[in-house]
Amino acid sequence: MLVIAPDYGLRRSLEFALEVEGFAVLSFDDVNAALASPGTAAGSCVVVDEEALLNDPLAMAAVRRFHKAVLLLVDRSRSMPDILGVRVLRKPILGNALITAIRLTDQSAGTGQPT
């Protein structure tokens, strides 16, 4: 499981929530750092906070280069167009919404095999 979030607190919170559920997690503060890491080949899903995409118009195209299911975390106040192949989850994330969304986004995560 890859997590990309510029905000350290959010990134650590996502890591913790995913690790508690048994997922192996690699986390990064930006898309380019994640792309440069050799460890990103593992895992089948990318959880991306929209803040990682805001200052780079090519960031979403870069996220697609992972060739993995994408779960995009967005602020409730912003409207987000539907993007093919991307599941959108609105923040704040309550309860088990993150894990449910991951399992819906990535079918292999739903099989009970943590990534």
Side-chain angles (χ1 to χ4, degrees):
M1 181 73 51
L2 305 177
V3 170
I4 303 171
D7 180 85
Y8 178 78
L10 174 61
R11 192 169 60 249
R12 289 297 298 146
S13 177
L14 293 170
E15 288 174 16
F16 178 77
L18 293 168
E19 288 171 348
V20 164
E21 291 293 323
F23 292 99
V25 179
L26 287 176
S27 67
F28 304 90
D29 61 353
D30 68 49
V31 175
N32 292 323
L35 281 169
S37 173
T40 59
S44 58
C45 185
V46 182
V47 177
V48 182
D49 180 47
E50 69 178 340
E51 297 296 324
L53 308 177
L54 292 181
N55 296 326
D56 183 355
L58 302 176
M60 193 62 203
V63 167
R64 291 188 183 283
R65 292 193 350 231
F66 288 112
H67 301 290
K68 300 176 186 313
V70 176
L71 175 61
L72 182 62
L73 307 179
V74 300
D75 185 8
R76 283 182 187 261
S77 63
R78 294 188 186 138
S79 64
M80 191 70 201
D82 289 335
I83 303 170
L84 186 62
V86 175
R87 182 173 297 275
V88 174
L89 182 62
R90 301 228 179 256
K91 299 183 284 187
I93 304 164
L94 303 174
N96 208 25
L98 176 64
I99 303 307
T100 300
I102 287 171
R103 291 199 169 123
L104 291 172
T105 301
D106 177 22
Q107 294 303 322
S108 69
T111 65
Q113 297 175 354
T115 55

